[in-house]
Amino acid sequence: MSRHSASNDGPPDNSALTYRIAVTLALVLAADALFVAVVAYLLRPWLLPLLGGRSAAGQSLGGLPVAWVALVAPVTLALAWAQLRYTRREALAAADARPVGESAYPDLHARLRRLAQSADVTPPTLAVAETDAANSFTVGDLRGGTVAVSTGLLDALSDDELDAVLAHELAHLQNRDAAVMTLATFLPALANDEYSLFEEVSGPVRTLALGVALVGGYAVSTALVAAPPFGVESLLAFAGFVAFTVLFGGVALGLLALPVAVLSGRLSRYREFAADRAGALLAGDPAAMAGALETLADDAPSRPTDDARASDGGSPGVRSGVRELCFLPHSIADADEEGDAPLADLPVEVETHPPTEERIARLRDLAAEGPESYR
């Protein structure tokens, strides 16, 4: 038995990876569907007429109202699509990674294009973060993905090692886990106050959104108690609705985010092994991948003891959701800017990467098998 077989026997299996991806995606969609269903239930006095009245809403398929399923399913998919786009944008913004043209990094573009052709994937967008922290990550979407690398990584690695890291990132697109992991980081980051949905919205739009939320909340609370508008009973119901949302909304979000964080953490650990192996075979040099891991691990920043968000008056700081997507388990941002891990305040520790030493050992074993056995 191999010295690193304690956590996972043998090389990563594609069917096992596909299973983990499917289960994680199903859990994220189930959490979104639950949220949509609750909102739809609260808005049922207005939705019932749109669904054809009580008789239409009462039609059932296996005991489940067909009209409600027809409403919840597409809204859930639209919500997931919006989360994916938002998280992709925020991850790149958090790392300060900007798309770069071929004129700025011709060699890097050529490497990525050559490896993408070998992997039979659409060449992703290339983004570069101007930081000394040597790392990389990939965010996926329905159309492809974006590979982000830091200038520190470009400076630290040899040509063969850089090819291996780029091949690792492309393997996440090839294995189709990049989009699922990008989506799965949304709820944990939101529960950890790393994402503020209106952070970048202008003042008037934010005010309008708040006004719509208050009017909608008042209408919902009034409808729930069947009270006449602007009466004492409706005002009390609205006050209770606001208090309940403030007191229990965060708890409910945490309860939804916790299983997503745990399951996505397990997927993340497994997918790193899979991408290491697939990337090493794609680049044709497992030893170069192992060397890249050793080089970058030696240069990795130590984990900060203080929350960066507390040191600057409560600003969001660097979102740690990027860390879950990175080649190594630290942010692509500098160490003194890095924040807490998602759900750090909850009684659970979610490891998002396997031990680097184990990843290196597996790659050394693969390299020892010789080119004829893995090419």
Side-chain angles (χ1 to χ4, degrees), residues 35 83 86-87 184-198 250 253-254 257 309 319 321 342-343:
F35 171 77
Q83 289 173 352
Y86 178 84
T87 306
T185 61
F186 176 82
L187 277 177
L190 188 64
N192 202 43
D193 270 345
E194 294 183 359
Y195 287 163
S196 176
L197 300 181
F198 298 104
L253 179 60
R309 290 169 295 177
R319 283 111 182 198
L343 301 176

Side-chain angles (χ1 to χ4, degrees), residues 225-239:
V225 297
F230 309 112
V232 174
E233 188 176 357
S234 64
L235 292 175
L236 290 175
F238 178 61

Side-chain angles (χ1 to χ4, degrees), residues 204-259:
V205 175
R206 188 183 301 113
T207 301
L208 177 61
L210 179 60
V212 170
L214 290 175
V215 171
Y218 183 80
V220 167
S221 60
T222 300
L224 287 176
V225 297
F230 309 112
V232 174
E233 188 176 357
S234 64
L235 292 175
L236 290 175
F238 178 61
F241 181 81
V242 172
F244 180 86
T245 301
V246 171
L247 291 175
F248 298 103
V251 175
L253 179 60
L255 291 176
L256 284 176
L258 181 57

